[in-house]
Amino acid sequence: MTLNQVKTALEHLETLAFQLPNGELVPSHFHVTEIGKIAKHFIDCGGTVRNETVVNFQLWNANDYDHRLHPEKLVHIIQLSEKALGIEDWEVEVEYQGETIQKFGLDFDGTRFLLTTKQTDCLAKDKCGIPAPASKPKIKLSELQSSSCCEPGSGCC
């Protein structure tokens, strides 16, 4: 989800809610303690130099129950960060405290923001000799209809 998509979603909300991948909600008294621009300049294992820039939201679960963050306040914080940091319409990632600081992608279901899992990956599989995932063999419908695959002795199990 890009920053502009977040701002559009915020325009239609009365309250803010973030849901973790396991279905639990981030406590409603959370704070967005940081909005930042994270630029990553790196070289992958195949020797390709890469650049990646994301917008980072850090959510913090405070024991401050009297200052719940409202959508219009978050829009204001986003606007300040855009001006001060030169933030553009990049993908948004979210940091949240679990057993350690966890990073999530972000999606929206129409009423709440969904923290989505992120995975590591090899960006140079072709150069590293990592084979492409094997595709499942395709079976023609006529082969299924003509075979007796689930009869004793058919070899199906």
Side-chain angles (χ1 to χ4, degrees):
M1 179 168 212
T2 67
L3 188 60
N4 284 341
Q5 291 170 322
V6 170
K7 292 189 297 186
T8 298
L10 288 169
E11 291 173 7
H12 305 287
L13 294 177
E14 292 183 24
T15 60
L16 279 175
F18 286 84
Q19 182 176 323
L20 294 161
N22 66 5
E24 291 180 26
L25 291 175
V26 171
S28 61
H29 53 277
F30 75 91
H31 289 264
V32 175
T33 58
E34 297 176 7
I35 293 181
K37 172 174 75 173
I38 297 183
K40 183 177 175 183
H41 186 201
F42 61 103
I43 188 167
D44 68 26
C45 57
T48 302
V49 175
R50 298 177 185 265
N51 289 291
E52 178 182 287
T53 305
V54 297
V55 179
N56 180 270
F57 289 9
Q58 185 182 81
L59 305 184
W60 181 55
N61 179 12
N63 291 328
D64 179 2
Y65 298 95
D66 298 325
H67 297 96
R68 184 173 174 165
L69 184 63
H70 294 280
E72 62 275 3
K73 177 67 172 176
L74 182 53
V75 169
H76 178 69
I77 296 168
I78 291 170
Q79 290 169 340
L80 287 174
S81 68
E82 288 173 314
K83 290 176 188 170
L85 302 174
I87 289 177
E88 298 177 22
D89 187 30
W90 298 308
E91 287 292 316
V92 175
E93 71 176 18
V94 177
E95 289 180 354
Y96 184 66
Q97 186 69 43
E99 290 182 25
T100 185
I101 296 173
Q102 298 173 313
K103 285 187 178 185
F104 298 95
L106 191 63
D107 203 354
F108 186 67
D109 70 1
T111 58
R112 67 182 70 128
F113 290 98
L114 307 174
L115 302 181
T116 60
T117 57
K118 296 180 81 162
Q119 303 292 319
T120 59
D121 194 11
C122 176
L123 300 175
K125 290 181 184 81
D126 57 330
K127 292 182 181 177
C128 290
I130 298 172
S135 60
K136 295 179 181 178
K138 298 187 191 268
I139 300 173
K140 295 179 185 174
L141 182 57
S142 60
E143 292 174 3
L144 282 175
Q145 291 170 336
S146 66
S147 70
S148 55
C149 69
C150 292
E151 294 179 8
S154 66
C156 72
C157 39

